[in-house]
Amino acid sequence: MADDSSELRAKALRDHHVDWLVKEAGVTAAQAHELIELIGMGNLPSLRREAFLLKKSLY
């Protein structure tokens, strides 16, 4: 049971980070998921910076 609740909390936190990146930087949810996979969730400033750089490189 502990594993299920831990996994649910981790998914909820990941979803929260994805939503935050989408709103903050204007990237897509898929791009936000990919950035989180590459960088992790422990470094929000790096996630934000990379999301802005990604968005900028697309335009």
Side-chain angles (χ1 to χ4, degrees), residues 25-28 30-35 38 47-59:
V27 295
T28 67
Q31 291 167 329
H33 277 287
E34 187 172 347
L35 286 172
L38 292 170
L47 276 173
R48 184 176 182 268
R49 181 191 67 235
E50 293 302 321
F52 276 112
L53 289 172
L54 177 62
K55 180 74 174 183
K56 186 177 178 180
S57 73
L58 296 175
Y59 295 101

Side-chain angles (χ1 to χ4, degrees), residues 13-25:
L13 183 60
R14 179 180 296 269
D15 290 345
H16 176 74
H17 280 63
V18 167
D19 292 343
W20 176 75
L21 280 174
V22 168
K23 291 175 188 167
E24 181 75 15

